[in-house]
Amino acid sequence: MTDLGYDGRVAVVTGAGGGLGREYAFLLASRGARVVVNDTGGSTGGEGVDDGPACTVAREIRDQGGEALADTHSVATPEGGQGLVRAALDTYGQVDIVINNAGILRDAAFDDTTAEVLDPVLDVHLKGAFFVTRPAWAGMQEQRYGRVINTVSAAGLLGTAGKSNYGAAKAGLVGLTRTLALEGAAHGIKVNAVAPIALTRILTQSMAKREAPQAAADHEAEPVASAMTVDRMRAFVDRLAPALVAPVVAYLAHEDCPVSGEVYTVGAGQVSRFFIGRTKGYFNPALTMEDVRDHFVEISDQTEYTVPSDPGEEIAQLFKVIGGRSEHA
Ligand code: NAI
């Protein structure tokens, strides 16, 4: 089998000045992609700007013989997203790949989740994916080719206390991923998501906060993996290299990517698919509140479940049950 390459494709990687995004940018560039390295260079909480991280990564890529452009637009505004895509088009003439990776944390107990900690998180993670992908979408439709990778999190898929803003933003990205997969299908555009687990400053800071609970009142960070003790995390941190997440993102960004609308969790080289299942459940055409109480175990039972690919398939499953039952009624 031959190695996978990008044959001059153009990739926009947001939040690529460090952490996971930096690894994505390096891997794509090393395989022939022209890469726009976007990053505002702020703190984990999103404060401040610094063009250093984006410029450094772009320079390092060029030093290794790759093609890269640094960009410091913020993904958190429509103007920022347009400016980023415009820079890619002006320099490279096309955008084939968008990796929505930029992220911040402003953790707080739900009681304390004021607009000040809610809005910036929704703006960067959730709206940021709209603001960057939309300007690139028209070109992808025209060229009948595109790859979009969104970054979700177990905190959104499974929930993590103290992260209602972040969890809601990340879960929202699952809906965006699945919807854009459907809208992009007719145009050769594939849209998928990854839920990474990697030792970056986000995880490092989260672990530090765990070890210093008195500092947890600070809104910056809460554990990425709240159920796992710091000791257990520490035993594995040297295995959680961000570079081991990059191959999955790179494959989803490649022409050969066989799927769209899917979510993969990846860390330390372990890759799995997350999916949304529907239990077989319980049906009663004269359903009462007491029926729900009395059949709750059956409703929740996971032994027989399906994974509907879209709302049509889910409704078809419902109609099958209703039809089957009425035939026998
Ligand atoms: P990181 O903090 O190293 O990287 C995030 C980057 O985004 C930073 O370089 C930051 O400057 C940049 N950024 C922040 N706001 C921006 C904006 N408005 N415009 C452009 N760039 C901006 O952290 P990490 O871990 O590499 O995070 C990457 C993504 O992975 C994030 O979306 C994060 O939520 C997600 N993630 C990471 C996990 C992990 O275990 N590290 C777990 C689950 C999700």
Side-chain angles (χ1 to χ4, degrees):
M1 297 287 266
T2 53
D3 285 349
L4 298 168
Y6 293 94
D7 208 15
R9 297 247 182 238
V10 176
V12 168
V13 186
T14 73
L20 288 156
R22 178 178 184 278
E23 298 300 332
Y24 306 159
F26 268 104
L27 181 53
L28 266 63
S30 74
R31 300 296 184 102
R34 292 169 283 168
V35 180
V36 181
V37 178
N38 161 264
D39 206 299
T40 46
S43 70
T44 308
E47 292 95 357
V49 286
D50 178 1
D51 62 7
C55 291
T56 302
V57 172
R59 195 183 57 241
E60 287 171 352
I61 289 172
R62 289 194 297 268
D63 287 349
Q64 292 179 13
E67 279 192 69
L69 170 75
D71 178 274
T72 55
H73 285 96
S74 171
V75 304
T77 65
E79 300 74 32
Q82 281 157 10
L84 165 54
V85 172
R86 174 54 47 208
L89 293 173
D90 286 349
T91 306
Y92 297 129
Q94 67 199 74
V95 174
D96 305 293
I97 298 161
V98 170
I99 301 177
N100 291 307
N101 165 78
I104 62 169
L105 289 178
R106 295 216 182 166
D107 293 2
F110 185 56
D111 269 0
D112 299 324
T113 304
T114 58
E116 200 186 322
V117 289
L118 173 61
D119 292 343
V121 171
L122 295 181
D123 287 348
V124 173
H125 291 277
L126 182 55
K127 291 194 198 168
F130 283 83
F131 296 151
V132 176
T133 310
R134 268 198 73 224
W137 194 257
M140 287 181 177
Q141 285 183 309
E142 256 169 52
Q143 70 195 16
R144 305 200 62 73
Y145 183 85
R147 296 287 182 264
V148 179
I149 294 94
N150 294 321
T151 309
V152 302
S153 166
L157 293 162
L158 305 173
T160 296
K163 284 182 179 289
S164 58
N165 51 359
Y166 184 82
K170 292 303 198 185
L173 283 167
V174 176
L176 178 65
T177 300
R178 294 190 67 85
T179 304
L180 291 190
L182 295 171
E183 290 196 24
H187 308 284
I189 305 172
K190 292 184 174 175
V191 185
N192 291 288
V194 290
I197 304 171
L199 184 63
T200 62
R201 66 179 189 170
I202 281 183
L203 188 60
T204 306
Q205 190 168 331
S206 296
M207 288 170 62
K209 297 276 170 171
R210 267 258 147 174
E211 286 176 327
Q214 71 279 7
D218 178 330
H219 288 173
E220 286 268 305
E222 276 286 314
V224 169
S226 62
M228 191 176 269
T229 65
V230 170
D231 280 350
R232 284 183 68 202
M233 288 296 285
R234 287 249 174 261
F236 288 105
V237 284
D238 60 340
R239 309 276 294 274
L240 295 174
L244 288 170
V245 174
V248 176
V249 172
Y251 183 57
L252 296 174
H254 193 267
E255 198 172 332
D256 286 1
C257 171
V259 294
S260 196
E262 301 293 345
V263 180
Y264 297 90
T265 172
V266 49
Q270 206 281 329
V271 194
S272 298
R273 180 169 76 100
F274 264 118
F275 57 86
I276 296 172
R278 177 186 190 276
T279 64
K280 186 180 175 204
Y282 167 75
F283 172 58
N284 182 341
L287 190 70
T288 67
M289 213 171 138
E290 289 71 29
D291 288 327
V292 176
R293 176 195 62 198
D294 298 341
H295 294 273
F296 217 75
V297 171
E298 198 179 335
I299 290 166
S300 308
D301 182 17
Q302 294 176 26
T303 49
E304 281 182 70
Y305 65 86
T306 54
V307 183
S309 59
D310 57 40
E313 198 173 312
E314 206 234 329
I315 289 175
Q317 290 181 1
L318 172 65
F319 288 171
K320 198 172 162 200
V321 174
I322 298 171
R325 180 59 70 95
S326 60
E327 275 166 29
H328 296 102

